[in-house]
Amino acid sequence: MMVNFEEYVQKYRLFIIAGIILLAVGMIALMGKKEETVPQQAAKAEDHRGITVLNYHKIDNTFHSLSVRPEDFEKQMQWLKQHGYHSITPDQLYEFVTNGVELPDNPVMITFDDGYIDNYTNAYPIMKKYGFVGTIFVVTSFLEKYPNYLTWNQARELEDNGFCIESHTNTHKSMTEASDDQIMEELTTSKAMIKEKLGKESGFIAYPTGSYNLHIAQLVKNAGYKAGFTIKYDAVSRGSNVYALERVPIFHTEDTNRDFLERVLYLPLMNKDGWIKK
Ligand SMILES: [Zn+2]
């Protein structure tokens, strides 16, 4: 039997209308679906990648790989602020790793090694502007000995404003090349100096150049430190060894801010694929 077009439309009218409605609903749903924002992506990444601990040295304009320019540093802090990051202290990180204590959303720990004066003159005002605190691992014998290092008064002011001053040994001796006695001397003298000058018990150490081994970690524990920080391109997680906490160095490179973003956003990928130090 021949069915002409009109009869066909009559017969299947309801199906055709239902089809058009479904198509329209689908299109509206597609148009309404927003792109995921970077903080949403970052929050998702946070679930499985743990906590990023950034490691800086100098914040100044000298052309050196360990010197991040203040304008670059400001862009990095601004980016962290705009994307909802909250800076945490070493105690907060320690409590997270050992006792599972919750951290604020998008936590990041911002650390500096050696105790350069530009941490106070350049980094501190920028961080204050964005509401961040940092942790400075100082080489205790360098303070008030060399002009490009912090003074104890500056260290105290930083402490009073939420920063943490912790140990980076007393003379920056490489621990993997020192005797046990020398290591203990470095550990106990720097701890005593921080106690004397700042009236606090330093519970944290950053190994000079990140070099450590299990024996050194044991000595650090014996000297009364709660945790130690190394350099490793990975995030801190609940499974991290508290005497070998991972930190990601931020260097001055040909494209410092791009490298910063890569490290903050894609840390797990870098680690998985074997990240090459730039
Ligand atoms: Zn150092």
Side-chain angles (χ1 to χ4, degrees):
M1 191 180 81
M2 289 284 287
V3 180
N4 69 32
F5 182 71
E6 267 177 34
E7 279 176 345
Y8 183 88
V9 169
Q10 279 291 13
K11 198 170 174 189
Y12 295 104
R13 193 176 52 199
L14 280 176
F15 290 105
I16 292 165
I17 289 168
I20 289 167
I21 289 169
L22 269 177
L23 199 68
V25 166
M27 283 182 72
I28 288 164
L30 264 179
M31 287 190 301
K33 189 174 180 291
K34 285 203 187 80
E35 285 267 304
E36 258 192 345
T37 62
V38 173
Q40 282 168 334
Q41 288 168 349
K44 271 188 187 171
E46 206 69 58
D47 292 343
H48 63 80
R49 74 171 183 176
I51 318 303
T52 299
V53 181
L54 301 174
N55 177 226
Y56 293 93
H57 285 78
K58 293 171 77 67
I59 306 298
D60 70 4
N61 284 306
T62 55
F63 197 76
H64 187 277
S65 68
L66 291 180
S67 293
V68 171
R69 292 185 305 172
E71 61 176 275
D72 287 332
F73 183 74
E74 168 137 23
K75 280 182 195 146
Q76 295 168 12
M77 293 302 110
Q78 191 178 41
W79 187 91
L80 289 173
K81 186 73 191 174
Q82 283 169 350
H83 294 92
Y85 281 84
H86 297 94
S87 61
I88 59 166
T89 64
D91 269 308
Q92 282 180 293
L93 186 76
Y94 178 80
E95 287 300 322
F96 166 80
V97 174
T98 57
N99 296 320
V101 174
E102 288 296 320
L103 292 172
D105 292 341
N106 289 354
V108 64
M109 187 172 158
I110 304 164
T111 74
F112 302 84
D113 278 5
D114 303 338
Y116 296 104
I117 197 164
D118 55 65
N119 295 177
Y120 175 83
T121 53
N122 296 335
Y124 175 45
I126 293 169
M127 290 175 74
K128 199 152 58 168
K129 180 171 160 188
Y130 295 103
F132 291 142
V133 292
T135 300
I136 305 178
F137 294 98
V138 299
V139 182
T140 46
S141 72
F142 290 1
L143 274 63
E144 292 178 8
K145 184 176 179 184
Y146 302 119
N148 56 333
Y149 287 84
L150 294 167
T151 65
W152 285 108
N153 273 337
Q154 290 165 342
R156 201 169 298 117
E157 188 187 330
L158 287 162
E159 271 275 336
D160 289 345
N161 285 279
F163 276 56
C164 294
I165 306 295
E166 304 291 345
S167 173
H168 193 40
T169 74
N170 192 45
T171 69
H172 209 272
K173 196 182 280 298
S174 169
M175 293 190 147
T176 47
E177 287 156 27
S179 70
D180 283 11
D181 284 351
Q182 286 173 324
I183 293 171
M184 283 312 276
E185 166 73 18
E186 291 285 337
L187 296 173
T188 54
T189 306
S190 60
K191 204 174 201 304
M193 191 92 117
I194 289 171
K195 175 101 178 182
E196 181 200 324
K197 300 290 189 182
L198 303 177
K200 64 170 267 188
E201 207 63 60
S202 173
F204 304 95
I205 191 160
Y207 304 105
T209 70
S211 314
Y212 81 103
N213 57 40
L214 291 179
H215 177 63
I216 292 166
Q218 185 60 47
L219 296 178
V220 166
K221 189 178 181 182
N222 295 348
Y225 291 93
K226 292 199 284 191
F229 289 83
T230 184
I231 300 288
K232 190 179 172 201
Y233 287 80
D234 204 351
V236 171
S237 64
R238 289 202 165 108
S240 289
N241 175 353
V242 287
Y243 288 101
L245 293 170
E246 299 85 348
R247 290 191 302 168
V248 186
I250 305 298
F251 298 114
H252 173 97
T253 63
E254 280 177 12
D255 195 340
T256 303
N257 294 323
R258 181 203 59 200
D259 291 343
F260 167 82
L261 280 185
E262 276 182 11
R263 282 161 200 215
V264 171
L265 289 175
Y266 306 115
L267 194 55
L269 292 180
M270 283 178 193
N271 189 46
K272 190 171 118 276
D273 298 336
W275 176 245
I276 294 159
K277 189 169 170 177
K278 288 196 236 184

